[in-house]
Amino acid sequence: MNTPRAPLIVVGAGIAGLSAALAAAPHPVLLLSRTRPVRDVSNDAATALAQGGIAAALAATDSAAAHGEDTLIAGAHHNDREAVRYLCGQAPHAIDWLRQLGVDFDCIGDSDGLDLGREGGHRCARIVHAGGDATGARVLAALGERVRAARHVQWRCGVEVDGLLMRGDVVAGVRVRTAQGQEQCLTGSAVVIATGGIGGLFAATTNPMSAQGRGLALALAAQAVLRDPEFVQFHPTALDVPGRVQLPLLTEALRGAGARLCDRHGRALMQGVHQDSDLAPRDVVARTVSAALRDGRGAFLHCAGLSIDWARAFPTVFAHCRAQGLDPRTQPLPIQPAVHFHMGGIDVDLDGHSSVPGLYAVGEVACNGVHGANRLASNSLLEGVVFGRRVGAHAAVAGAPQIANPARHTLWIAGAGPSLTHNRLNWLQRCLGDVLGPVRVHARIVATRKRIAADPELARSSQGRVALAMLDAAAARRDSLGAHHWSSVTVPESVDAVIRKRDVAEAGASMSGA
Ligand SMILES: Cc1cc2nc3c(=O)[nH]c(=O)nc-3n(C[C@H](O)[C@H](O)[C@H](O)COP(=O)(O)OP(=O)(O)OC[C@H]3O[C@@H](n4cnc5c(N)ncnc54)[C@H](O)[C@@H]3O)c2cc1C
């Protein structure tokens, strides 16, 4: 009798997790996610919200090398060059694969030629989209259907993975909490983390609110190494809706179609700032928008001049605007920068191996270096497909290293840490939004770090642990690079120097009875 093979456990059902699950065939996969129905509005994958599209060098005048160059320029050359070469080289195949799965990408008129859009940092039109600005939802629906039909995948949803099951120092499975609050341990041949980003840790984000870095907290608990967690991308054009943390996105493809960034007097914001003006890399535009808001000039996206069919090209953006009582055809849209993407993550190689045996990671939660210090627009859905497939196929075969005498190694749980209460999370979101924004001040990062570390509830929480890792990395990076930008009015000081100064000041204050 054949003993059943332990499944590969994939945590997360966004573009990366679903692609990995499919690629693992015929190895059995146990796919775990918080939300199930891919068309359900409650779906908490960032993938479902993606608007602009997927980058691929498909035009006759374009090439994978040119796509790669743009990726490196946006990433401030902090990228892993081999990862970039692989991503851009595989992009046309990824689009073919998605079309075969049934994704109906938009074509020019009635032809079967793909309608390629342009976004910031791309020197030519190379963005493939579906349903106008509903690309992510369309891709997720197609992948989800395939996964549901795949015989090698068992998909369990409505579960929260909150711990890694360890045998010695090897990952042997996960602990899940069900919707009814029950805990279960599930063993597997290896674990692939594909849990998405961290936007929900900030006061203004385009991400689902649940994107609070749980995958990073799991990795930290198992002592996996993180890479570049200080690099956070701000999207310059989130619709400014007062009082909300999760903000609707106004896709960069609008600027690709001719929309302009202006202040409240209609003066162009990007003029003279960058040679690519409104289509400059995101970090540059986000800092400019941020400065305009700070000094009271205001920041708006003007779409009134666009000769487009809104219902066909940007139905999602149009619906968001209308829901706020705005008409993008006639009114300037108030904007603000919002956390959009995490370039850093669990340190992995191109096959998804983390520093802990048996633990793999892919998608936004992972960092193989492909995005460098700043992601090029529309490269992350691409990353999810290209590396999702590579990591899924590899992890299915490679699994975890065999342990001699497994019974001699105790099983233990590396827990991600408890979740913060609503009020404490609010506090953390405001702090991080403030100190890890598009322009950073070293002393404030250090002070925030100290405050979190000194508060046991914050410091041992899942969100607090991730925040500490991000703050530490930001404080340690001495030079501005890509999305990590020091304010020019402050010279970064060493962490010790700032703590020393604060300690002296606090001691002085308490001695004088203040
Ligand atoms: C508004 C918006 C627009 C965007 N537009 C574009 C675009 O046009 N082009 C582009 O390339 N990129 C875009 N991005 C970025 C891109 O969408 C994401 O980087 C990408 O979708 C991330 O995919 P993922 O599979 O890594 O994670 P996600 O899609 O976020 O999926 C994460 C999955 O993990 C599950 N999960 C998380 N934690 C747990 C846990 N503890 N237990 C169980 N399950 C868990 C969730 O339920 C979910 O299924 C956009 C992002 C946003 C927010």
Side-chain angles (χ1 to χ4, degrees), residues 330-347:
T330 55
Q331 289 172 290
L333 305 172
I335 53 167
Q336 73 164 92
V339 170
H340 188 59
F341 184 79
H342 196 200
M343 276 72 73
I346 303 171
D347 187 13

Side-chain angles (χ1 to χ4, degrees), residues 505-514:
E506 279 168 16
S510 68
M511 276 169 67
S512 65

Side-chain angles (χ1 to χ4, degrees), residues 7 11 33 41 43-44 90 96 112-113 115 117-118 137 189 201 335 404 422 436 474 484-485 495 507:
V11 187
S33 66
V41 282
N43 191 293
D44 77 337
Q90 287 296 311
D96 276 351
D112 58 3
D115 181 17
R118 193 173 163 207
S189 59
L201 294 177
I335 53 167
H422 183 70
L436 289 181
H484 171 80
H485 194 87
V495 176

